[in-house]
Amino acid sequence: MSAKLYERLEAQVRALLDGESDFVANAGNFAALIYEELPDVNWAGFYLAAPSGELVLGPFNGRPACTRIPPGRGVCGAAVTKRETLVVDDVEAFADHIACDSASRSEIVVPILRDGELFGVFDVDSPVKARFTADDRAGLERLVAAFEEIR
Ligand code: SME
């Protein structure tokens, strides 16, 4: 079921971004699509790597969120440090979780690398514990890869 959903979403990402090269426009639509189409999601968006080493809030959908995440902090910073997707089943059990929306219970963060350098992360939150499965991890990595391929 999930693989089919992500197959459809990848086609939608490609259609949405077709012919447009503006990052803010494309990233905003990408975040909106995921926020609208994935069940049980209360936040979806980008944090972008700044020269200071912080992650700065980028295009997103959901409640207003923290604007700057210090290097290595939070679930986002931990995913950046590991340079791999991080799934947290219970954010209350993750000591360094940064709570932007008190409704969030689980989270997935996909790092985005450009030419081996950190460009940012794509972060999705859910109000449901253990919302993100191995299929979601593979699916969101696939969507981020499609975004990066055609941006
Ligand atoms: N929870 C994240 C912060 C960003 S919000 O979820 C939008 C973290 O711990 O890095």
Side-chain angles (χ1 to χ4, degrees):
M1 134 77 188
S2 219
K4 277 269 177 232
L5 170 64
Y6 283 103
E7 195 178 309
R8 173 170 69 74
L9 288 177
E10 184 184 347
Q12 285 181 274
V13 165
R14 290 181 184 279
L16 265 179
L17 273 60
D18 185 43
E20 180 53 68
S21 59
D22 184 87
F23 173 77
V24 173
N26 285 340
N29 264 341
F30 182 83
L33 179 75
I34 290 169
Y35 179 82
E36 288 295 328
E37 296 296 325
L38 285 189
D40 297 322
V41 157
N42 63 324
W43 201 89
F46 291 84
Y47 277 92
L48 305 175
S52 62
E54 294 167 304
L55 290 168
V56 180
L57 185 62
F60 71 96
N61 268 229
R63 289 201 172 147
C66 7
T67 50
R68 287 174 187 269
I69 299 177
R73 299 304 305 274
V75 181
C76 291
V80 164
T81 302
K82 294 177 91 177
R83 288 280 200 278
E84 65 182 39
T85 300
L86 191 57
V87 175
V88 175
D89 285 343
D90 179 0
V91 295
E92 286 169 333
F94 189 94
D96 199 32
H97 172 251
I98 300 166
C100 293
D101 183 342
S102 61
S104 296
R105 287 291 171 272
S106 61
E107 180 163 3
I108 182 167
V109 178
V110 181
I112 306 170
L113 303 177
R114 290 188 179 177
D115 301 323
E117 298 287 313
L118 182 77
F119 174 74
V121 301
F122 192 73
D123 179 15
V124 186
D125 288 0
S126 170
V128 175
K129 266 191 198 172
R131 158 68 182 83
F132 302 104
T133 63
D135 280 357
D136 291 296
R137 179 192 179 121
L140 283 165
E141 287 178 346
R142 173 179 176 170
L143 297 184
V144 168
F147 179 85
E148 283 295 289
E149 183 195 319
I150 56 185
R151 65 179 169 82

